[in-house]
Coordinates of all heavy atoms in Angstrom, one line a residue:
A1 N 0.8 -1.2 0.0 CA 0.0 0.0 0.0 C 0.9 1.3 0.0 O 0.6 2.2 -0.7 CB -0.9 0.0 1.2
R2 N 2.0 1.2 0.8 CA 2.8 2.4 0.8 C 3.5 2.7 -0.6 O 3.5 3.8 -1.0 CB 4.0 2.1 1.9 CG 4.7 3.4 2.3 CD 5.9 3.1 3.1 NE 5.6 2.2 4.2 CZ 5.2 2.7 5.4 NH1 5.0 4.0 5.6 NH2 4.9 1.8 6.4
E3 N 3.9 1.6 -1.2 CA 4.5 1.8 -2.5 C 3.5 2.3 -3.6 O 3.8 3.0 -4.5 CB 5.1 0.4 -3.0 CG 6.3 0.0 -2.2 CD 6.7 -1.5 -2.4 OE1 6.0 -2.1 -3.3 OE2 7.6 -2.0 -1.8
A4 N 2.2 1.9 -3.4 CA 1.2 2.3 -4.3 C 0.5 3.6 -4.0 O -0.3 4.1 -4.7 CB 0.1 1.2 -4.4
G5 N 1.0 4.2 -2.9 CA 0.4 5.5 -2.5 C -1.0 5.4 -1.9 O -1.8 6.3 -2.0
L6 N -1.4 4.2 -1.4 CA -2.7 4.0 -0.8 C -2.6 4.2 0.7 O -1.8 3.7 1.4 CB -3.2 2.6 -1.1 CG -3.4 2.3 -2.6 CD1 -3.7 0.9 -2.9 CD2 -4.6 3.2 -3.2
P7 N -3.6 4.9 1.3 CA -3.5 5.3 2.7 C -3.8 4.3 3.7 O -3.5 4.4 4.9 CB -4.4 6.5 2.8 CG -5.4 6.4 1.7 CD -4.6 5.7 0.6
Y8 N -4.6 3.2 3.3 CA -5.1 2.3 4.3 C -4.9 0.8 3.9 O -4.9 0.5 2.7 CB -6.6 2.5 4.6 CG -6.9 3.9 5.1 CD1 -7.5 4.8 4.3 CD2 -6.5 4.3 6.4 CE1 -7.8 6.1 4.7 CE2 -6.8 5.6 6.8 CZ -7.5 6.5 6.0 OH -7.8 7.7 6.4
V9 N -4.8 -0.1 4.9 CA -4.9 -1.5 4.8 C -6.0 -2.0 5.6 O -6.0 -1.8 6.9 CB -3.6 -2.2 5.1 CG1 -3.8 -3.8 5.1 CG2 -2.5 -1.9 4.2
Y10 N -7.1 -2.5 5.0 CA -8.3 -2.9 5.8 C -8.1 -4.4 6.2 O -7.8 -5.3 5.4 CB -9.5 -2.8 4.9 CG -10.0 -1.4 4.6 CD1 -9.3 -0.6 3.7 CD2 -11.0 -0.9 5.3 CE1 -9.7 0.7 3.4 CE2 -11.4 0.4 5.1 CZ -10.8 1.2 4.1 OH -11.2 2.5 3.9
L11 N -8.2 -4.7 7.5 CA -7.9 -6.0 8.1 C -9.2 -6.8 8.3 O -9.0 -7.9 8.8 CB -7.2 -5.8 9.4 CG -5.8 -5.1 9.4 CD1 -5.2 -5.0 10.8 CD2 -4.9 -5.7 8.4
G12 N -10.4 -6.3 8.1 CA -11.6 -7.0 8.4 C -12.0 -6.6 9.8 O -11.8 -5.5 10.3
Y13 N -12.7 -7.5 10.5 CA -13.3 -7.1 11.8 C -12.4 -7.5 13.0 O -11.8 -8.6 13.1 CB -14.6 -7.8 12.0 CG -15.6 -7.3 11.0 CD1 -16.1 -8.1 9.9 CD2 -16.1 -6.0 11.0 CE1 -16.9 -7.6 9.0 CE2 -17.0 -5.5 10.1 CZ -17.4 -6.3 9.1 OH -18.2 -5.9 8.1
W14 N -12.3 -6.5 13.9 CA -11.7 -6.8 15.2 C -12.8 -6.9 16.2 O -13.8 -6.1 16.2 CB -10.8 -5.6 15.6 CG -10.3 -5.7 17.0 CD1 -9.3 -6.6 17.5 CD2 -10.7 -4.9 18.1 NE1 -9.1 -6.4 18.8 CE2 -9.9 -5.3 19.2 CE3 -11.6 -3.8 18.3 CZ2 -10.1 -4.7 20.5 CZ3 -11.7 -3.2 19.5 CH2 -11.0 -3.7 20.6
V15 N -12.7 -7.9 17.1 CA -13.8 -8.2 18.0 C -13.3 -8.2 19.5 O -12.5 -9.1 19.8 CB -14.5 -9.6 17.7 CG1 -15.7 -9.8 18.6 CG2 -14.8 -9.7 16.3
P16 N -13.6 -7.2 20.3 CA -13.2 -7.2 21.7 C -13.6 -8.4 22.4 O -14.8 -8.9 22.3 CB -13.9 -5.9 22.2 CG -14.3 -5.1 21.1 CD -14.5 -6.0 19.9
G17 N -12.7 -9.0 23.1 CA -13.0 -10.2 23.8 C -12.8 -11.5 23.1 O -13.0 -12.6 23.6
S18 N -12.5 -11.4 21.8 CA -12.3 -12.7 21.0 C -10.9 -13.0 20.8 O -10.1 -12.2 20.1 CB -13.0 -12.5 19.6 OG -12.6 -13.5 18.7
P19 N -10.4 -14.1 21.3 CA -8.9 -14.4 21.1 C -8.6 -14.6 19.6 O -7.4 -14.3 19.2 CB -8.8 -15.8 21.8 CG -9.9 -15.8 22.8 CD -11.1 -15.1 22.1
K20 N -9.5 -15.0 18.8 CA -9.2 -15.1 17.3 C -8.9 -13.8 16.7 O -8.2 -13.8 15.7 CB -10.5 -15.7 16.6 CG -10.8 -17.2 17.0 CD -12.0 -17.7 16.2 CE -12.3 -19.1 16.5 NZ -13.5 -19.6 15.8
M21 N -9.4 -12.7 17.2 CA -9.3 -11.4 16.5 C -8.3 -10.5 17.3 O -8.1 -9.4 16.9 CB -10.6 -10.8 16.3 CG -11.5 -11.5 15.4 SD -10.8 -11.5 13.7 CE -12.0 -12.5 12.9
G22 N -7.8 -10.9 18.5 CA -7.1 -10.0 19.3 C -5.8 -9.5 18.7 O -5.3 -8.4 19.0
Y23 N -5.2 -10.3 17.8 CA -3.9 -10.0 17.2 C -4.0 -8.6 16.4 O -3.0 -7.9 16.3 CB -3.4 -11.1 16.2 CG -4.2 -11.2 15.0 CD1 -3.9 -10.5 13.8 CD2 -5.3 -12.0 14.9 CE1 -4.6 -10.6 12.6 CE2 -6.1 -12.1 13.7 CZ -5.7 -11.5 12.6 OH -6.4 -11.6 11.4
K24 N -5.2 -8.3 15.9 CA -5.3 -7.0 15.1 C -5.0 -5.8 15.9 O -4.4 -4.8 15.3 CB -6.6 -7.0 14.4 CG -6.9 -8.1 13.5 CD -8.3 -8.0 12.8 CE -8.5 -9.2 11.9 NZ -9.8 -9.2 11.2
S25 N -5.2 -5.8 17.2 CA -5.0 -4.6 18.0 C -3.5 -4.5 18.3 O -3.1 -3.5 18.9 CB -5.8 -4.7 19.3 OG -5.4 -5.8 20.1
N26 N -2.7 -5.4 17.9 CA -1.2 -5.3 18.1 C -0.6 -4.4 17.0 O 0.6 -4.1 17.2 CB -0.6 -6.7 18.0 CG -1.0 -7.6 19.1 OD1 -1.3 -7.1 20.2 ND2 -1.1 -8.9 18.9
F27 N -1.3 -4.0 16.0 CA -0.7 -3.2 15.0 C -0.9 -1.7 15.3 O -2.0 -1.3 15.7 CB -1.3 -3.5 13.6 CG -0.9 -4.9 13.1 CD1 -1.6 -6.0 13.5 CD2 0.2 -5.0 12.3 CE1 -1.2 -7.3 13.1 CE2 0.6 -6.2 11.8 CZ -0.1 -7.4 12.2
S28 N 0.1 -0.9 15.1 CA 0.0 0.5 15.4 C -0.8 1.2 14.4 O -1.0 0.7 13.3 CB 1.4 1.1 15.5 OG 2.1 1.1 14.2
A29 N -1.2 2.5 14.6 CA -1.9 3.3 13.7 C -3.2 2.6 13.3 O -3.6 2.7 12.1 CB -1.1 3.7 12.5
L30 N -3.8 1.9 14.2 CA -5.0 1.1 13.9 C -6.3 2.0 14.2 O -6.4 2.6 15.2 CB -5.1 -0.2 14.7 CG -6.2 -1.2 14.3 CD1 -5.8 -1.9 13.0 CD2 -6.4 -2.2 15.4
E31 N -7.2 2.0 13.2 CA -8.5 2.7 13.4 C -9.6 1.6 13.4 O -9.5 0.6 12.7 CB -8.7 3.7 12.2 CG -7.7 4.8 12.1 CD -8.0 5.7 10.9 OE1 -8.8 5.3 10.1 OE2 -7.4 6.8 10.9
I32 N -10.7 2.0 14.0 CA -11.9 1.1 14.0 C -13.1 2.0 13.6 O -13.1 3.2 13.8 CB -12.2 0.5 15.4 CG1 -12.3 1.5 16.5 CG2 -11.1 -0.6 15.7 CD1 -12.7 1.0 17.8
Y33 N -14.0 1.4 12.9 CA -15.2 2.1 12.5 C -16.3 1.9 13.6 O -16.8 0.8 13.8 CB -15.7 1.5 11.1 CG -16.8 2.4 10.5 CD1 -16.5 3.5 9.9 CD2 -18.2 2.0 10.6 CE1 -17.5 4.3 9.3 CE2 -19.2 2.7 10.0 CZ -18.8 3.9 9.4 OH -19.8 4.7 8.8
K34 N -16.6 3.0 14.2 CA -17.5 2.9 15.4 C -18.3 4.2 15.4 O -17.8 5.3 15.2 CB -16.7 2.8 16.7 CG -17.4 2.7 18.0 CD -16.5 2.5 19.1 CE -17.2 2.4 20.5 NZ -16.3 2.2 21.6
N35 N -19.6 4.1 15.7 CA -20.5 5.2 15.8 C -20.4 6.0 14.5 O -20.4 7.3 14.4 CB -20.1 6.2 16.9 CG -20.3 5.5 18.3 OD1 -21.1 4.6 18.4 ND2 -19.4 5.8 19.2
D36 N -20.4 5.3 13.4 CA -20.5 5.8 12.0 C -19.3 6.7 11.6 O -19.4 7.5 10.7 CB -21.8 6.7 11.8 CG -23.0 5.9 12.0 OD1 -23.0 4.7 11.7 OD2 -24.0 6.5 12.5
C37 N -18.1 6.4 12.2 CA -16.9 7.1 11.8 C -15.7 6.3 12.2 O -15.7 5.4 13.1 CB -16.9 8.5 12.5 SG -16.6 8.5 14.3
W38 N -14.6 6.6 11.5 CA -13.3 6.0 11.8 C -12.6 6.7 13.0 O -12.6 8.0 13.0 CB -12.4 5.9 10.6 CG -12.9 5.0 9.6 CD1 -13.6 5.3 8.5 CD2 -12.7 3.6 9.5 NE1 -13.9 4.1 7.7 CE2 -13.3 3.1 8.4 CE3 -12.0 2.7 10.3 CZ2 -13.3 1.7 8.0 CZ3 -12.0 1.3 10.0 CH2 -12.6 0.9 8.9
Q39 N -12.1 6.0 13.9 CA -11.4 6.6 15.0 C -10.3 5.7 15.5 O -10.3 4.5 15.3 CB -12.4 6.8 16.2 CG -13.1 5.6 16.6 CD -14.2 5.9 17.6 OE1 -14.0 5.9 18.8 NE2 -15.4 6.1 17.1
D40 N -9.2 6.3 16.2 CA -8.2 5.5 16.7 C -8.7 4.5 17.7 O -9.6 4.8 18.5 CB -7.2 6.4 17.4 CG -6.3 7.2 16.5 OD1 -6.0 6.6 15.4 OD2 -6.0 8.3 16.8
I41 N -8.1 3.3 17.7 CA -8.6 2.2 18.6 C -8.4 2.6 20.0 O -9.2 2.2 20.9 CB -8.0 0.9 18.2 CG1 -8.7 -0.2 19.0 CG2 -6.5 0.9 18.4 CD1 -8.2 -1.6 18.6
G42 N -7.3 3.3 20.3 CA -7.1 3.6 21.7 C -6.8 2.4 22.5 O -6.2 1.4 22.0
S43 N -7.3 2.3 23.7 CA -7.1 1.1 24.6 C -8.2 0.0 24.1 O -9.4 0.3 24.1 CB -7.3 1.4 26.0 OG -7.4 0.2 26.8

């Protein structure tokens, strides 16, 4: 994406409390779509 000049890599769904999806929160600069907008995941 960086080489192509594209600003985002979409990873699918992150699910709080799900061990299967927990790894996604390990990536920095991660945003989630919540309350109809994109926002930093924070904690």
Side-chain angles (χ1 to χ4, degrees):
R2 195 189 307 276
E3 293 168 2
L6 296 170
Y8 301 108
V9 172
Y10 290 79
L11 301 181
Y13 294 110
W14 172 72
V15 186
S18 170
K20 292 181 180 179
M21 295 297 178
Y23 71 91
K24 296 180 183 181
S25 62
N26 296 329
F27 289 86
S28 68
L30 192 73
E31 299 179 347
I32 54 173
Y33 191 76
K34 182 177 178 180
N35 298 328
D36 298 328
C37 68
W38 289 97
Q39 55 189 271
D40 287 324
I41 188 173
S43 172

